[in-house]
Amino acid sequence: MKANYLVLGGKGKTGRKVVERLAQLNQNVRIGSRSETPSFDWENAKTWADALEGMDRVYITFQPDLAVPGALEAIEGFVKVAKQKQIKKVVLLSGKGEREAELCEQVVINSGIDHTIVRASWFNQNFSESFFLDPILAGQVALPQAEAKVPYVDTNDIADVVVEVLMNDNHNGRIYELTGPRFLTFPEVVNEIAQASGRDITFMPISLPAYTKMMEDFGVPSDYVWLINYLFSEVLGNKANEVITHDIEKVLGRKPKDFSEYVAETAATGIWNQAVEV
C-alpha cells in the first residue's frame, strides 16, 4: 500500500539512501531539508507543520546528533506537532551508547505514535563522507582513543533497516541496535584504507585536549567540537559500548556489510586518492 513519507535529513548520509529506496518502491517521498519546498529546518519550528502536512510516516534524523544540547527540546517540539498532524508512525535514528540520545528516544517512545528506534554504531562513511576524510587525504590521521574497538556499520545497511521498519508495522515498539560484524581500532581502519587506496597514510595517537585544540584551530564549528569531544569521551571511552549485535540480520535476514567490503568499494571510487593528484 502506498503511503506518504517525510524523510528528515533527506540529503544526508542515511536520509538520501532512504529516499532512494522508498522512491524505488514507488512510495510518495518528501525530503525534509532547508532547500526543499516546503522547507524543513530544525532551527525554525515554524517550518515543521508544513513539512508534516499530508504525511503518514516520518524518518527522523537530527543534525548534528541527538546528544547535542537543544536536541531534546527540538524532538519534544517536533513530536508534539507530529501528533497534531496525525502522523501514523515515526522511525528515529539514534546513537548507540549515547545517554543523551536515549532521552530523545523516550520522547518518541512515550508519544503515543507508533514508532521504531534505530540505534546505530559509528558509520563506515565517516571516513569517506565526513570529518575523518580530510586527515586521510592529508595522509596523516591523528585521533584520540586509538585502541577503542568500534563495530562500524554501513549506511546502506542502516537505510535498508530503516525502510523495512518504516514500512512494516511488525517492527512497531522495537529498539534495534545496528553494528557491523567486527571491531576495528583506528590504526586498523587507517591501515585498511591505506592498503586499498595504495597510499602511505600514517596514524598518530593524540590526547583528547590536543585533538580539541586542533579542531578549534581549523575553525570547526563549536557544536561539532562539543559533539566530537562527547563521542570520544562518553561513547568511545566506555567499554560497555564494545558490543556487536545481530539486529541487522534479525531485520533483513542477511549479514551486515564488512568494513573491508566498504573499503574496497570506496577505494574504487577514487575518493581517497584526491590528495595525491598534483
Side-chain angles (χ1 to χ4, degrees), residues 15-112:
R16 73 172 191 273
K17 293 176 179 179
V18 170
V19 168
E20 285 166 10
R21 284 156 174 74
L22 288 171
Q24 284 163 2
L25 292 167
N26 205 27
Q27 301 299 312
N28 298 319
V29 189
R30 175 180 290 168
I31 294 172
S33 168
R34 275 180 293 204
S35 59
E36 293 291 308
T37 306
S39 74
F40 177 86
D41 185 352
W42 276 116
E43 293 177 12
N44 182 2
K46 291 175 182 169
T47 64
W48 300 351
D50 284 349
L52 285 162
E53 189 66 48
M55 297 293 104
D56 303 308
R57 297 172 180 238
V58 184
Y59 174 45
I60 302 175
T61 67
F62 186 85
Q63 292 301 321
D65 191 278
L66 285 177
V68 302
L72 179 61
E73 292 78 10
I75 295 296
E76 286 172 339
F78 180 78
V79 166
K80 195 177 288 182
V81 180
K83 279 194 81 168
Q84 289 166 359
K85 293 294 178 181
Q86 298 182 313
I87 296 298
K88 297 182 179 70
K89 177 162 184 182
V90 298
V91 173
L92 177 70
L93 180 68
S94 185
K96 187 172 163 288
E98 298 177 19
R99 282 171 300 184
E100 279 75 5
E102 288 173 20
L103 296 174
C104 295
E105 294 174 9
Q106 287 302 316
V107 172
V108 170
I109 289 166
N110 296 317
S111 67

Side-chain angles (χ1 to χ4, degrees), residues 2-239:
K2 221 174 194 183
N4 298 323
Y5 294 86
L6 172 63
V7 178
L8 302 184
K11 295 179 178 179
K13 281 200 278 293
T14 65
R16 73 172 191 273
K17 293 176 179 179
V18 170
V19 168
E20 285 166 10
R21 284 156 174 74
L22 288 171
Q24 284 163 2
L25 292 167
N26 205 27
Q27 301 299 312
N28 298 319
V29 189
R30 175 180 290 168
I31 294 172
S33 168
R34 275 180 293 204
S35 59
E36 293 291 308
T37 306
S39 74
F40 177 86
D41 185 352
W42 276 116
E43 293 177 12
N44 182 2
K46 291 175 182 169
T47 64
W48 300 351
D50 284 349
L52 285 162
E53 189 66 48
M55 297 293 104
D56 303 308
R57 297 172 180 238
V58 184
Y59 174 45
I60 302 175
T61 67
F62 186 85
Q63 292 301 321
D65 191 278
L66 285 177
V68 302
L72 179 61
E73 292 78 10
I75 295 296
E76 286 172 339
F78 180 78
V79 166
K80 195 177 288 182
V81 180
K83 279 194 81 168
Q84 289 166 359
K85 293 294 178 181
Q86 298 182 313
I87 296 298
K88 297 182 179 70
K89 177 162 184 182
V90 298
V91 173
L92 177 70
L93 180 68
S94 185
K96 187 172 163 288
E98 298 177 19
R99 282 171 300 184
E100 279 75 5
E102 288 173 20
L103 296 174
C104 295
E105 294 174 9
Q106 287 302 316
V107 172
V108 170
I109 289 166
N110 296 317
S111 67
I113 304 173
D114 283 339
H115 61 271
T116 306
I117 308 294
V118 175
R119 290 179 186 157
S121 185
W122 278 29
F123 303 166
N124 292 343
Q125 281 73 11
N126 285 345
F127 296 97
S128 53
E129 298 177 23
S130 196
F131 40 84
F132 297 141
L133 176 59
D134 284 346
I136 288 168
L137 293 178
Q140 192 167 36
V141 181
L143 291 170
Q145 301 285 5
E147 296 307 314
K149 296 183 175 78
V150 182
Y152 294 97
V153 65
D154 201 86
T155 55
N156 288 291
D157 286 340
I158 297 171
D160 285 345
V161 167
V162 166
V163 169
E164 165 62 23
V165 302
L166 202 50
M167 296 184 71
N168 186 340
D169 288 340
N170 292 339
H171 302 285
N172 288 3
R174 303 282 182 87
I175 297 175
Y176 293 117
E177 295 203 340
L178 310 188
T179 74
R182 64 187 170 107
F183 294 118
L184 290 107
T185 62
F186 285 129
E188 289 168 340
V189 163
V190 170
N191 184 50
E192 284 208 27
I193 292 172
Q195 287 190 340
S197 59
R199 291 186 51 220
D200 183 17
I201 308 171
T202 58
F203 178 83
M204 187 175 71
I206 188 173
S207 71
L208 187 52
Y211 187 59
T212 301
K213 184 174 187 316
M214 195 167 74
M215 287 191 292
E216 288 169 347
D217 290 346
F218 275 105
V220 174
S222 58
D223 57 345
Y224 272 90
V225 172
W226 184 94
L227 175 61
I228 298 298
N229 239 309
Y230 171 85
L231 293 174
F232 274 102
S233 56
E234 297 292 319
V235 181
L236 289 192
N238 185 350
K239 288 282 182 191

